[in-house]
Amino acid sequence: MTVTKNELVNLICKKVFILDGAMGTELQKRGMPLGVCPEEWCSEHPDVVIDIQRQYIEAGSDAVYTATLGGNSIKLSEYGLGNKTYEINKKLAEISKKAVGSKGFVGGDISTTGKYIEPFGNMSFETAVEVYKEQVKALLDGGVDFFIIETMMDIQEARAALLAVKESCDLPAFVTMTFNEDGRTLTGTDPVTALITLQNLGADAVGCNCSTGPEAMVEIIRQMKPYSKVPLIAKPNAGLPKLVNNKTVFDMSPETFGSFVKPLIEAGVNIIGGCCGTSWEYIKQIKENVSGLTPLLPASCQGSILSSARKTVKIGPSKPITIVGERINPT
């Protein structure tokens, strides 16, 4: 299903746009062994991926993500597959396009490399951009309709991935960060700072996924909404993970998960789906619970806002005189 960037963004502003649910936990249910490379396993078992994604579309998803969460060359190199980055990503994009046909959109899924950008780690920002560009090209050639940069824990890495997309094509680019229980990413960025940074770099939608259940995401979205100039995304887990008999489980029922749909939309969500532990039953609950609900339009910010990687300073007519100085680190 091919549309222009403006057509897709306009569609999202008119209705609650429903994403898919989990891929990893669904693959495990269908026999993917522990310790294998998920991307390689999916490319070798296309029927499993197609079955999962068609169930999501039938349950109400408007879009699915390609099974390429760890498809960058750095992650694939951990399995000795770095030289197959293009081949694997292109094939997985084609599999997802086959799964949805004309019934939905396909988002090219990009996520963390597992390495930190300087100064937290040894990878340069420029290297990260080039790594992501390699994956972006493959997903483009596979026919994706938009890009989703998800489960990002470091705003610098999210920036690198977003720039890789923006410098490679004109398709819509969505970004979702993952926030800890303290309301910040692993490297200390709060929701408003992440939003301001990403939307002003050209992200077409911003939000959060994974890490928490839907209840905690209501507050994150509520914080973002007054400053959002783009649609907001929420893709929560099926509750917080628990360790039972040395196995991670998510025990929030589809019905309980669905009960948070209205609060999320009232807080400002335009795009909603499920992350770890969710399945087509959860998407069905989202579909049922969005009936009759209209998403809030993106806001128009008042005053000026300065943001660095971990802090935001608001300046405006209703604010006192602000001495910025070292409150915003220009690096």
Side-chain angles (χ1 to χ4, degrees):
M1 186 182 294
T2 303
V3 296
T4 66
K5 176 191 287 193
N6 287 339
E7 288 172 338
L8 181 57
V9 173
N10 288 338
L11 173 64
I12 290 167
C13 289
K14 290 177 182 177
K15 59 165 281 184
V16 179
F17 192 81
I18 302 176
L19 300 172
D20 59 5
M23 176 58 74
T25 47
E26 289 300 291
L27 291 171
Q28 290 170 9
K29 289 179 186 177
R30 289 165 171 79
M32 184 181 76
L34 294 175
V36 302
C37 173
E39 289 73 28
E40 182 183 40
W41 194 88
C42 287
S43 69
E44 293 172 347
H45 299 81
D47 291 347
V48 175
V49 178
I50 289 171
D51 179 57
I52 293 169
Q53 294 186 327
R54 283 184 175 168
Q55 283 189 338
Y56 282 136
I57 292 295
E58 290 168 6
S61 293
D62 295 302
V64 301
Y65 292 1
T66 57
T68 55
L69 182 79
N72 60 76
S73 61
I74 293 177
K75 280 284 191 181
L76 290 177
S77 292
E78 296 175 7
Y79 299 94
L81 298 168
N83 62 338
K84 293 187 175 182
T85 299
Y86 179 88
E87 173 189 334
I88 289 173
N89 279 273
K90 182 174 183 289
K91 182 175 181 179
L92 290 174
E94 291 169 344
I95 289 170
S96 292
K97 291 292 287 185
K98 181 179 179 180
V100 304
S102 61
K103 296 180 180 179
F105 299 97
V106 172
D109 196 347
I110 297 172
S111 191
T112 178
T113 62
K115 294 185 179 294
Y116 286 107
I117 293 174
E118 298 168 339
F120 290 109
N122 297 321
M123 183 167 61
S124 71
F125 186 83
E126 292 76 14
T127 297
V129 173
E130 291 307 311
V131 166
Y132 284 124
K133 277 187 175 181
E134 181 182 16
Q135 188 179 12
V136 167
K137 183 181 189 312
L139 292 169
L140 275 172
D141 290 349
V144 299
D145 301 300
F146 67 96
F147 283 91
I148 174 65
I149 299 160
E150 64 151 319
T151 323
M152 300 304 282
M153 296 175 281
D154 176 25
I155 191 68
Q156 291 294 78
E157 193 171 35
R159 288 179 63 241
L162 179 57
L163 285 173
V165 174
K166 301 290 289 182
E167 292 177 3
S168 301
C169 66
D170 192 40
L171 292 183
F174 303 166
V175 187
T176 54
M177 306 294 294
T178 183
F179 296 94
N180 298 325
E181 290 185 59
D182 64 359
R184 291 181 177 271
T185 66
L186 189 63
T187 54
T189 302
D190 65 89
V192 172
T193 298
L195 169 71
I196 297 299
T197 301
L198 295 167
Q199 71 181 7
N200 285 292
L201 272 176
D204 297 287
V206 177
C208 46
N209 79 291
C210 202
S211 65
T212 67
E215 184 174 9
M217 279 195 184
V218 173
E219 179 54 31
I220 292 171
I221 295 297
R222 191 175 287 131
Q223 290 178 39
M224 288 181 170
K225 190 59 182 178
Y227 308 100
S228 67
K229 296 186 289 186
V230 296
L232 295 181
I233 307 170
K235 208 171 192 277
N237 292 338
L240 291 172
K242 297 178 181 178
L243 195 63
V244 178
N245 296 324
N246 292 319
K247 184 179 180 181
T248 302
V249 297
F250 297 85
D251 59 5
M252 179 177 283
S253 70
E255 292 75 21
T256 302
F257 186 90
S259 70
F260 289 101
V261 169
K262 184 176 181 181
L264 281 166
I265 293 170
E266 289 176 343
V269 162
N270 305 85
I271 307 169
I272 187 169
C275 204
C276 302
T278 61
S279 61
W280 70 266
E281 291 96 339
Y282 292 76
I283 300 306
K284 182 180 179 183
Q285 284 294 316
I286 292 176
K287 181 70 173 178
E288 291 176 359
N289 282 278
V290 300
S291 179
L293 298 179
T294 303
L296 299 174
L297 292 174
S300 177
C301 300
Q302 299 298 314
S304 299
I305 300 175
L306 306 176
S307 70
S308 66
R310 287 173 293 282
K311 183 148 185 165
T312 295
V313 175
K314 305 173 182 103
I315 304 172
S318 62
K319 305 291 182 184
I321 293 175
T322 302
I323 307 299
V324 177
E326 281 301 305
R327 294 177 69 188
I328 291 293
N329 185 340
T331 63

